[in-house]
Amino acid sequence: LNCLETGEFLNDTVIEFYISHLLGEMRERALEEAKGFCERQGCAMAEDLLKEEVFVFSTFFYKKLTSTSLQDIGSSRLDKWTKNVDIFDKKFVFVPVCANAHWSLAIIYNKQVWYEQKLVDLRITILHLDSMTCGHRTQHITRVLRQYLDHEWQRQSQIDGSIPCQINQRDLITKQFSATSTPGTRVTVPRQDNYCDCGLFVLKYLEKLLLQTPRALKIDMHNGRVMQVSSLDALDGRRVGRAFTKQWFEVAEATALRDQLRLKLCKLFAEQHPESEQAAMALKMAQESVAQVCKDLAEDLQKEPGGGPPETVKEDGRDGEVCKDLVEEIQMEPGEAPPETVKE
């Protein structure tokens, strides 16, 4: 828990923990939606409708990739990361990047091109999300990922039924992974206002994209360069969402994750050690901390110039969603009320 103290950098373990939690929640939501669809349509198996459109690499993947020379990629055991996964069949592939005491996030976006009901091509774009202006070099990250994609495409081409195999059967020209054919760019995102919250921002980017996955991305090109990236809403594919803008979320929403993660871990520790007084005390302190964070966050997000603090937090807005999530993390004792600033 030390890395969750104010001013500390998040480590691999905490990042992996929350990614695992997000993937679990994403799958639960998808299953519930599939069950609802089956009930309306009279389907038998909701699980048959599930197809995950995302893949998240381990936080250790990029470190291993950058420590391997281009000539040794095929023999460096990198293939084990995607042994049973065709990453080209995923709409979004997320690559957490940790280098030089800083975290950022790369996204490989695969857009399938169909003609006469047949898959004819795959347009790949690499996006880089960095919460610091002087963080990681986008050009270096995109170059490294292109080299990996080239290797992975060749490997997957030998597997019957894979996306590369399907496309290669129709196109005798080997797919190229150059800066022109596979463009990369740094996109606009909310940025941290200190030196230590980069890991929290990466997790917030992932949280938004995994739990509110865009239906598609609209990528505007000019002279072979990416000029603008917009997200199309998950429910209404024609509406542009907030993703990849400075207004995607408030800085306070990302920093609040520090206390939220501490509470999740304290809950887990208390469940595993129910007789531990230390665990119970840590959980109580974490609950109190999250309650205060939620109160402060509600006031900061809802306060208007010249007005007083808010009396309620609207459930239909993103402010309400953030505070509601925080309150739900707190296991209230019987008869105990939630913070007064957040009303259900």
Side-chain angles (χ1 to χ4, degrees):
L1 294 177
N2 290 338
C3 73
L4 290 172
E5 296 296 327
T6 302
E8 296 294 328
F9 293 92
L10 266 61
N11 61 20
D12 293 331
T13 303
V14 173
I15 299 284
E16 291 279 355
F17 167 79
Y18 196 53
I19 289 176
S20 177
H21 169 79
L22 290 174
L23 289 173
E25 185 172 345
M26 179 194 71
R27 288 163 184 149
E28 288 179 5
R29 292 187 180 188
L31 183 57
E32 288 301 316
E33 292 178 2
K35 287 180 178 178
F37 178 83
C38 284
E39 290 177 359
R40 295 190 299 270
Q41 301 296 324
C43 302
M45 296 293 292
E47 291 79 1
D48 294 340
L49 297 176
L50 293 179
K51 179 193 175 186
E52 291 190 6
E53 294 189 324
V54 305
F55 180 75
V56 185
F57 275 106
S58 164
T59 55
F60 302 102
F61 171 75
Y62 189 79
K63 295 178 183 178
K64 180 65 175 177
L65 181 59
T66 52
S67 65
T68 304
S69 66
L70 178 60
Q71 294 76 16
D72 295 334
I73 285 182
S75 59
S76 64
R77 300 177 65 188
L78 275 173
D79 295 346
K80 70 177 182 179
W81 300 93
T82 54
K83 182 179 179 181
N84 300 312
V85 178
D86 179 2
I87 62 172
F88 300 104
D89 193 32
K90 306 296 182 181
K91 186 178 294 183
F92 297 98
V93 178
F94 299 100
V95 185
V97 177
C98 183
N100 301 321
H102 179 60
W103 287 97
S104 67
L105 180 68
I107 303 175
I108 300 168
Y109 175 59
N110 297 315
K111 182 179 180 180
Q112 296 182 352
V113 181
W114 293 78
Y115 179 72
E116 295 183 348
Q117 299 183 336
K118 294 181 180 179
L119 179 63
V120 297
D121 196 9
L122 192 68
R123 294 175 184 169
I124 304 174
T125 308
I126 302 174
L127 310 177
H128 183 213
L129 287 63
D130 199 323
S131 58
M132 289 188 70
T133 305
C134 56
H136 293 147
R137 290 178 55 216
T138 300
Q139 186 177 5
H140 173 71
I141 290 174
T142 55
R143 183 173 65 250
V144 169
L145 289 179
R146 284 191 200 101
Q147 294 172 351
Y148 172 71
L149 289 172
D150 188 15
H151 161 76
E152 187 66 7
W153 184 274
Q154 295 179 41
R155 187 182 74 85
Q156 289 283 351
S157 296
Q158 310 302 316
I159 301 176
D160 291 339
S162 69
I163 296 298
C165 182
Q166 294 179 48
I167 293 176
N168 285 359
Q169 287 177 350
R170 296 181 53 85
D171 190 352
L172 299 179
I173 302 175
T174 303
K175 189 171 183 64
Q176 300 296 314
F177 289 90
S178 64
T180 302
S181 62
T182 311
T185 188
R186 178 183 291 227
V187 296
T188 302
V189 289
R191 289 178 176 165
Q192 63 193 89
D193 56 7
N194 57 28
Y195 66 92
C196 59
D197 284 347
C198 52
L200 295 172
F201 275 76
V202 164
L203 289 179
K204 197 64 183 181
Y205 301 149
L206 282 167
E207 177 187 285
K208 289 289 187 179
L209 292 168
L210 290 176
L211 301 186
Q212 302 170 14
T213 306
R215 177 171 295 185
L217 299 184
K218 183 176 181 293
I219 300 176
D220 298 325
M221 304 284 295
H222 180 69
N223 292 334
R225 297 184 61 185
V226 178
M227 304 304 295
Q228 184 176 358
V229 179
S230 305
S231 66
L232 300 181
D233 190 85
L235 298 178
D236 182 354
R238 295 169 296 180
R239 187 176 65 182
V240 176
R242 287 197 182 102
F244 312 124
T245 67
K246 290 183 178 180
Q247 293 73 39
W248 195 3
F249 56 82
E250 300 290 341
V251 171
E253 296 179 46
T255 57
L257 268 179
R258 190 178 292 274
D259 291 278
Q260 192 175 351
L261 286 167
R262 183 186 295 110
L263 179 55
K264 287 182 182 294
L265 289 169
C266 285
K267 276 185 180 180
L268 182 63
F269 187 71
E271 291 171 359
Q272 294 176 345
H273 304 83
E275 306 300 325
S276 172
E277 294 183 3
Q278 183 180 5
M281 180 62 68
L283 178 57
K284 181 180 179 180
M285 293 175 63
Q287 289 173 330
E288 293 173 350
S289 178
V290 167
Q292 185 61 47
V293 167
C294 184
K295 179 179 178 180
D296 295 342
L297 182 60
E299 292 178 354
D300 289 344
L301 295 180
Q302 293 284 36
K303 188 180 296 183
E304 297 181 358
E311 295 182 358
T312 61
V313 176
K314 297 180 181 179
E315 291 294 339
D316 57 350
R318 62 194 177 105
D319 304 345
E321 290 177 359
V322 174
C323 293
K324 183 172 180 290
D325 289 343
L326 289 172
V327 172
E328 287 176 348
E329 291 294 334
I330 308 174
Q331 289 184 348
M332 297 298 176
E333 296 296 329
E336 184 178 358
E340 294 182 357
T341 54
V342 181
K343 297 182 179 180
E344 296 290 341

